[in-house]
Amino acid sequence: MTTNQQNGRPEQSDRHREMHGDAHGDEQVREAAVEAALGKLDLTAKVALLAGADMWSLPADESIGLGRLVMSDGPAGVRGENWTPDDPSVSVPSPTALAASWNPELAHRTGQLLAQEARRKGAHVVLAPTVNLHRSPRGGRHFEAYSEDPLLTGEIGAAFVSGVQSGGVGTTPKHFVANDSETDRFTVDVRADERTLRELYLAPFEAIVRKASPWGLMAAYNKVNGEFMTEHQELNNGVLRGEWGFDGVLVSDWTGARDTVRDALAGMDVAMPGPATVYGEHLVRAVRDGRVPEETVDELARRVLRLAARVGLLADAPAAVPAEALPAPIDGEALAREVAAAGMVLLANDGVLPLPAGLGSVALIGAAAQEARIGGGGSAQVFPTHVVSPLAGLRAALPPTTALAHAVGADPNVHLRPLAARVEARFLGRDGAELGTTTLPDGAARWIGQLPDRLSFADLAAVEVSGSLQPGRTGTHRVGIRGVGRFVLEADGAVLFDDIVPVEGEDPAAAFLNPPERVFELELAGTAPVTLTLRHVLPEGSGFAGFGLVSFTLGHGEPVGTADELLDEAVAVAAAADVAVVVVATTEEVESEGVDRASLALPGRQDELVARVAAVNPRTVVVVNAGAPVLMPWREQVAAVLLGWFPGQEAGSALADVLTGAREPGGRLPTTWPVAEVDAPVWGVEPVDGRLTYEEGLFIGYRAWQRRDGVAPAYWFGHGLGYTDWAYEGLELRLLAPVAGDDPWAPVVEALVRIRNTGARAGREVVQLYLSPDGSDTTRPGTALAGFATVTAAPGERAEARIQLPLRAFQTWGADGWTDRPGNYRVRAGRSVADLPIGVVLEVPLQG
Ligand code: BGC
């Protein structure tokens, strides 16, 4: 029998060491070094610490032995200072997959891997985790956040933060707070009552600050109840620092700092990126004019120095984690594969999975089967050295005697892929003279904030890329431009386009996050190479909010059949196979930073593809690669549905592990999936007159679904199948003394859940514990997750899960702040919020 520790967290003493990284003595020495350094700086020098020197770094100051501090995105890998494939990173599964593992220990190790990556890339702070909530399924950055539930988000987030920081690298849980959707994210004023903020949206931040002491935090772009978050005195100085004791650096989201005085007074320590910010000389002047007290600047600078000291960048200050205490090296490839499998959620299975050994043939269908969809779009993007596609992963895992055929079936991609060839880039000055050159691995050209070889954006007038298109076959090839500004496209010297592509939409980041595209057809006979040249003339005053930006793509697409031909081909391949595996996916346009989703339907003709394949092959397994809920109108017509999220670089290996049964699908849904769009409890993400009102209050996700009469979701929060079965055999509860006090995380109840593996395989179960108050107060959600733990057991074996419930589980927010809510609670354990086979009523005698 195996008993796993609750939520897999390290022991208290380890946690303390990981949080603070050291013994108390070191902390004192560090603080003294910070004070000494601060004392040596004049006003200008202190202010210089508070703003980016460039896109990703804070400046060094040799006079006090302060090094340059580099920050880097982010949650799914550490990109470093370059936004290009020539500076690759380990790509781990998207954060929603990590949350779906319900495994804080795995989140902790993932954090350690990212710290290792950060060190390798010279970064000191990882701009992660994203702990906004899944309020509406339309949120475009859903894939980058964890869950609709604040407790699960807080547990995974805290473990991730402590993992990164145990590697001596800082974090910035983000975006503080209420950046739960993307529409008008720079200006939207989120209106939410205080209870809703406290019990839902602030809750994960509070848990992370209290449990894992992050060294940083990122202020959101949006307003909350009328104030920009970068200027929010009450939430930043009052709640975050005053109540929760946050002693780290509050950094603005990129370009989010807008007002010198209001930002400084609200404790917004660092304005990013630089060099043009509202701090610098503006802040010096504000202090001299008496609009900002110098003590305020001291406070901000002190926190920046503390961060620098913690990450080992301040002379005479011991780093929080000394070199000898760093975690042992982690195999990034192996961990990315483990996390991907651990996060996969088996939503339905008629027994087709795991695939039996000795299959004669498998048909693998889908555009994403060949070109894996590994991550969502936007700042979370990283470039791995390699990607294992489902096709490659499955081929490697299946015995040579199993035939594997692939067909695209339906291609949902709207945009062309970057030209798959090495591309020469030339940087041109105003007079047309060549300033420098570089080579790119493909047709995607992107430089943000800095150019190769320290070329200056000020001198740059145009960039020209040129590469050889090597046609795979005769037919209609497509070549394209993605970007904004003036372009000249030539194929073997013939001009295809010479014009301006204007900006679409209002998001200032859209020019690089979601640029428009122009496509041209080229009839090519044979396979003789064609030279493509794309010259991009930078728009006047180009750049994004003060820093240089060049971003465009030279794209190419091979000839493809018509949509009907692709479908027919896939159906024929599927009909001839023993098992059909269809990989469906959302695209970069659908799930990306900067935009919300218009619809939950899979793009293109993928639904039709699944329905037609299922009609000819009863053993059809559908693999869904999406970071957020999609509609699955065919879900009851197929043999199995496996949700793979965005699985990172080891996508195909992990998928093969799970399909063949080498690993169990470890995931449980961190968010409820609807049947239809109209059923989603919260849909609207568009502000009205600039305001987005969270009028549903506490009732998002499963908290809202429970109140629905006659409308059930497709799959509830917590749901997910393994490859074995479990019986819930016992639940014992014990009140722990003292039952009340000041620490909201002090355990007040301990639950012991006894379960038994009744299946034929060893397995892992996520034991979930839910609390239901007695129902007399209808403002409280009916049932809410209160704790969870994982257990493993061999066939027939029994296992115990021990789960402690903190005081906070028995509190609500009211006019007098957090209030204990004694009384009778129904405590139930099980496998999802809607599958709770065992329960007990407990009287909790708090002080009230
Ligand atoms: C995103 C942040 C990100 C930052 C830097 C912003 O647009 O909202 O999450 O860390 O850019 O890339």
Side-chain angles (χ1 to χ4, degrees), residues 605-636:
R605 292 174 71 177
Q606 297 182 96
D607 284 336
E608 190 182 341
L609 171 66
V610 176
R612 286 190 55 190
V613 167
V616 298
N617 194 324
R619 295 214 280 174
T620 293
V621 176
V622 182
V623 177
V624 181
N625 285 143
V630 294
L631 305 180
M632 299 184 290
W634 32 257
R635 69 192 171 90
E636 280 164 2

Side-chain angles (χ1 to χ4, degrees), residues 55-56 72-75 79 83 126-128 130 141 144 172 174-175 179 182 185-186 218-221 252-255 272-273 378-380 448 507 509 512-513 544 593-594:
M55 184 69 181
W56 303 113
S72 173
D73 289 308
R79 196 175 51 246
W83 204 310
V126 173
L127 301 169
T130 305
R141 273 179 111 165
E144 207 186 307
T172 62
K174 64 188 187 184
H175 309 83
N179 180 188
E182 292 293 280
R185 63 180 172 149
F186 289 90
M218 188 186 289
Y221 288 127
S252 74
D253 198 346
W254 266 227
T255 73
M272 286 300 287
S379 60
I448 301 175
D507 188 322
F512 73 91
L513 290 181
F544 169 52
E593 179 178 334

Side-chain angles (χ1 to χ4, degrees), residues 173-551:
K174 64 188 187 184
H175 309 83
F176 188 66
V177 60
N179 180 188
D180 307 294
S181 47
E182 292 293 280
T183 307
D184 297 344
R185 63 180 172 149
F186 289 90
T187 53
V188 60
D189 181 6
V190 171
R191 297 277 161 161
D193 62 66
E194 187 156 5
R195 179 171 181 194
T196 300
L197 287 174
R198 293 285 188 159
E199 293 188 23
L200 282 184
Y201 300 97
L202 288 168
F205 287 99
E206 180 180 11
I208 294 169
V209 168
R210 292 201 196 255
K211 292 182 182 188
S213 299
W215 303 341
L217 209 86
M218 188 186 289
Y221 288 127
N222 50 282
K223 295 179 182 174
V224 170
N225 295 330
E227 304 278 348
F228 277 117
M229 278 310 302
T230 43
E231 303 170 10
H232 217 295
Q233 298 256 11
E234 186 192 334
L235 289 175
N236 296 345
N237 288 333
V239 175
L240 174 63
R241 293 212 167 89
E243 282 183 36
W244 303 346
F246 174 67
D247 71 352
V249 162
L250 185 62
V251 54
S252 74
D253 198 346
W254 266 227
T255 73
R258 301 157 175 95
D259 186 283
T260 307
V261 174
R262 286 203 294 266
D263 282 3
L265 295 181
M268 246 276 319
D269 302 308
V270 165
M272 286 300 287
T277 71
V278 295
Y279 283 174
E281 59 189 302
H282 308 287
L283 183 52
V284 171
R285 216 173 309 124
V287 173
R288 298 218 164 111
D289 294 352
R291 285 173 292 145
V292 173
E294 186 157 354
E295 298 76 64
T296 300
V297 169
D298 287 348
E299 276 293 299
L300 311 189
R302 177 177 291 115
R303 290 192 287 256
V304 173
L305 289 170
R306 180 181 296 141
L307 172 63
R310 282 172 162 163
V311 300
L313 285 174
L314 185 65
D316 303 327
V321 184
E324 62 278 10
L326 289 173
I330 294 177
D331 178 342
E333 215 172 285
L335 184 57
R337 182 171 178 168
E338 182 184 346
V339 174
M344 284 186 196
V345 185
L346 185 57
L347 293 171
N349 183 18
D350 73 356
V352 67
L353 293 181
L355 296 175
L359 278 176
S361 58
V362 174
L364 183 60
I365 315 271
Q370 193 165 31
E371 188 140 0
R373 175 99 166 97
I374 63 164
S379 60
Q381 186 186 24
V382 295
F383 303 92
T385 48
H386 67 263
V387 169
V388 183
S389 69
L391 188 56
L394 212 52
R395 182 62 282 170
L398 292 173
T401 47
T402 304
L404 180 65
H406 172 251
V408 167
D411 187 352
N413 291 299
V414 196
H415 298 298
L416 297 177
R417 309 297 306 155
L419 177 70
R422 289 193 83 73
V423 160
E424 294 303 316
R426 296 170 64 222
F427 300 92
L428 306 170
R430 262 166 247 297
D431 53 1
E434 186 177 289
L435 306 172
T437 61
T438 192
T439 305
L440 305 174
D442 63 22
R446 176 175 279 179
W447 296 275
I448 301 175
Q450 52 215 57
L451 293 167
D453 298 331
R454 305 206 170 272
L455 292 176
S456 151
F457 274 100
D459 302 335
L460 188 69
V463 178
E464 187 178 278
V465 296
S466 172
S468 179
L469 187 177
Q470 184 65 61
R473 57 181 129 144
T474 292
T476 310
H477 287 251
R478 289 152 299 147
V479 292
I481 306 165
R482 264 197 100 186
V484 168
R486 180 168 204 97
F487 290 96
V488 183
L489 175 63
E490 294 177 13
D492 275 345
V495 176
L496 301 179
F497 182 84
D498 181 355
D499 207 343
I500 289 174
V501 182
V503 186
E504 290 171 7
E506 284 172 8
D507 188 322
F512 73 91
L513 290 181
N514 300 295
E517 186 179 45
R518 300 288 183 271
V519 176
F520 312 91
E521 292 188 344
L522 268 189
E523 294 301 331
L524 298 180
T527 55
V530 175
T531 300
L532 296 178
T533 305
L534 179 60
R535 177 189 286 239
H536 174 43
V537 182
L538 273 61
E540 264 316 302
S542 81
F544 169 52
F547 50 87
L549 168 72
V550 176
S551 181

